[in-house]
Amino acid sequence: MSVATVGTVVLDCPDPRALAGFYAAIVGGTVEGEGRWVDLKVPGGPALAFQEAPGHVPPRWPRTDRSQQFHLDLAVEDLDAAEKEVLALGAKPLDTGDRSRGFLVYADPAGHPFCLCAC
């Protein structure tokens, strides 16, 4: 028996609305709110929330002195097509050389690592 269920995953960032829009363009959903806290209501999954963090220092994956802190695994059917989309939205490649392993690693516009994973 679990003690809790996943309600919301919260990401610190410099611009909550912009980062919510980035993820909404990838996973769908509805962006709600303005200001220091913005929610992304995701169909069929936990909500993502974006909290303004003045002085936010993005992680530097895979460095140990500024670890990734957390990351999102996003399931996709076509890695190549998904890669084109996330790059067009402003993602930065971090580890995309070995496509045979079934996942590619990127940073979102605020520097948080995320993976596109072949499903």
Side-chain angles (χ1 to χ4, degrees):
M1 175 179 199
S2 65
V3 173
T5 60
V6 176
T8 302
V9 176
V10 182
L11 288 82
D12 285 356
C13 61
D15 185 342
R17 186 91 181 156
L19 198 56
F22 172 82
Y23 280 106
I26 295 172
V27 301
T30 305
V31 177
E32 299 176 359
E34 296 289 337
R36 298 190 55 139
W37 184 281
V38 175
D39 290 309
L40 174 58
K41 304 297 183 184
V42 180
L48 296 176
F50 304 89
Q51 175 177 280
E52 182 181 4
H56 171 72
V57 177
R60 295 285 185 239
W61 182 89
R63 289 179 27 190
T64 57
D65 62 332
R66 285 180 50 198
S67 71
Q68 67 180 339
Q69 301 161 15
F70 94 104
H71 73 272
L72 297 171
D73 283 346
L74 305 175
V76 300
E77 294 197 21
D78 182 334
L79 279 175
D80 294 329
E83 177 180 52
K84 287 178 187 172
E85 292 289 329
V86 300
L87 292 175
L89 292 167
K92 294 174 182 55
L94 295 179
D95 185 0
T96 58
D98 184 1
R99 293 179 176 282
S100 68
R101 60 187 180 184
F103 68 93
L104 305 173
V105 185
Y106 303 86
D108 68 24
H112 305 103
F114 70 94
C115 297
L116 296 178
C117 303
C119 55

